[in-house]
């Protein structure tokens, strides 16, 4: 029975406390929320940080505080920093966690263009390689798989990256099961050694998770960044509640949630 890594995206750059009071904003709130999610079974934390006014931040001190707290309270948990983040200075994206997200192309988002020029992508990939940071390749469009393949051919990432398909963002890739099959076919053709997951945004979270588990995904993703609700009648009480729901989905598919050590092994991250 192959274990499944449960990743929790705790905050993101969009939801505010007015949307769900459980969204953790300050470093102390983020650490506490991540610890609760870890205790519920999450072994990878995807981190954005915010300013005090809840706007997206690139402050390295805030990233460092959150990382320090997770290291202290969540032994072995994989810390993954975002290199995206709407409203942030692209030149300020980056730090030294276990992993970092890496989008390999630009895409339309609900109200902006999420811009990732080829030069920026190469710069980020080079920095991650030099820093020993494992990338998670964020796929918002089929062409982004080909962008990842070019990075492999250039020697900027290794041939076994971790790939995440992001589905259900308005104006970007739809949450469609047939589309996921197309993406998986292309992934297996272009990057056959990759590990993979799929993230569904908003109301698509549970269904995309189910599609991924049915197809043998190495990981699933949940958390308040992507979805602030349990269902249309109730807000999620915490990141931990969403992690618990993800763990139940893993069990329904005859698999089990990975331990922290297993998560590191699955994703090729040194202990």
């Amino acid at each position: 029975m192959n274990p499944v890594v449960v990743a929790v995206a705790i905050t993101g750059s969009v939801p505010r406390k007015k949307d769900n009071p459980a969204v953790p904003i300050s470093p102390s709130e983020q650490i506490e929320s991540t610890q609760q999610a870890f205790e519920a079974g999450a072994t990878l934390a995807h981190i954005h940080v915010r300013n005090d006014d809840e706007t997206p931040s690139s402050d390295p001190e805030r990233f460092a505080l959150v990382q320090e707290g997770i290291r202290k309270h969540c032994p072995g948990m994989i810390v993954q920093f975002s290199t995206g983040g709407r409203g942030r200075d692209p030149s300020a994206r980056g730090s030294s966690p276990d992993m970092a997200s890496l989008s390999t192309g630009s895409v339309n988002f609900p109200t902006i263009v999420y811009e990732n020029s080829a030069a920026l992508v190469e710069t980020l990939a080079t920095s991650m390689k030099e820093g020993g940071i494992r990338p998670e390749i964020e796929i918002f469009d089929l062409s982004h798989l080909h962008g990842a393949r070019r990075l492999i051919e250039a020697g900027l990432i290794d041939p076994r990256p971790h790939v995440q398909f992001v589905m259900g963002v308005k104006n970007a890739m739809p949450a469609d099961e047939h589309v996921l099959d197309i993406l998986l076919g292309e992934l297996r053709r272009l990057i056959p050694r990759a590990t993979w997951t799929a993230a569904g945004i908003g109301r698509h979270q549970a269904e995309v998770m189910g599609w991924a588990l049915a197809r043998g995904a190495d990981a699933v993703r949940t958390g308040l960044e992507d979805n602030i609700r349990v269902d249309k009648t109730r807000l999620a009480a915490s990141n931990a509640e969403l992690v618990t729901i993800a763990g139940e989905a893993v069990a329904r598919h005859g698999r089990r949630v990975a331990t922290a050590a297993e998560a590191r092994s699955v994703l090729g991250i040194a202990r």
Side-chain angles (χ1 to χ4, degrees):
M1 183 190 303
N2 293 334
V4 180
V5 179
V6 176
V8 60
I10 63 167
T11 301
S13 59
V14 174
R16 303 294 196 263
K17 286 189 178 292
K18 66 179 177 59
D19 304 311
N20 184 329
V23 175
I25 299 298
S26 69
S28 61
E29 288 177 338
Q30 290 189 304
I31 293 163
E32 181 180 10
S33 185
T34 303
Q35 182 178 2
Q36 293 169 352
F38 176 73
E39 291 169 354
T43 49
L44 187 158
H46 177 72
I47 307 298
H48 291 245
V49 294
R50 301 282 191 93
N51 297 308
D52 291 341
D53 64 0
E54 303 192 39
T55 57
S57 174
S58 298
D59 185 350
E61 292 185 5
R62 291 193 174 229
F63 276 107
L65 281 171
V66 175
Q67 178 168 256
E68 181 182 1
I70 294 173
R71 296 270 190 252
K72 179 179 179 181
H73 296 289
C74 309
M77 191 177 203
I78 297 165
V79 177
Q80 180 190 93
F81 286 171
S82 171
T83 59
R86 279 159 269 196
R88 286 168 50 189
D89 175 5
S91 67
R93 302 179 193 175
S95 190
S96 55
D98 300 303
M99 297 184 78
S101 58
L102 179 63
S103 298
T104 55
S106 301
V107 67
N108 288 330
F109 272 4
T111 60
I112 65 165
V113 175
Y114 178 34
E115 185 176 352
N116 294 285
S117 69
L120 174 62
V121 172
E122 290 182 7
T123 296
L124 289 170
T126 299
S127 296
M128 290 181 200
K129 181 178 180 181
E130 291 173 349
I133 300 168
R134 190 152 183 77
E136 176 180 89
I137 308 300
E138 307 296 332
I139 303 298
F140 292 92
D141 181 85
L142 180 64
S143 65
H144 298 176
L145 278 173
H146 291 262
R149 177 66 193 180
R150 287 192 293 273
L151 292 176
I152 292 170
E153 291 171 347
L156 294 177
I157 62 175
D158 70 58
R160 190 180 177 269
H162 184 53
V163 170
Q164 176 166 264
F165 302 115
V166 185
M167 311 186 79
V169 175
K170 184 180 178 181
N171 300 329
M173 199 153 56
D176 184 300
E177 194 169 9
H178 176 64
V179 170
L180 180 58
D181 285 331
I182 293 171
L183 293 165
L184 273 178
E186 195 70 349
L187 175 68
R188 289 163 178 159
R189 186 178 74 87
L190 291 172
I191 316 174
R193 294 176 58 195
T195 56
W196 71 277
T197 185
I201 305 304
R203 64 184 177 85
H204 304 292
Q205 186 172 81
E207 65 180 345
V208 171
M209 189 181 300
W211 300 341
L213 288 167
R215 288 158 175 78
D218 301 283
V220 294
R221 169 162 148 156
T222 190
L224 291 168
E225 171 176 349
D226 298 342
N227 177 31
I228 60 172
R229 311 191 74 88
V230 170
D231 56 42
K232 61 183 178 181
T233 67
R234 184 168 73 82
L235 294 172
S238 63
N239 278 301
E241 181 177 24
L242 293 175
V243 169
T244 297
I245 292 169
E248 291 167 352
V250 169
R252 284 197 303 273
H253 283 82
R255 299 176 68 186
R256 62 178 178 81
V257 172
T259 66
E262 287 171 334
R264 287 178 174 270
S265 177
V266 168
L267 300 182
I269 298 169
R271 288 175 175 77

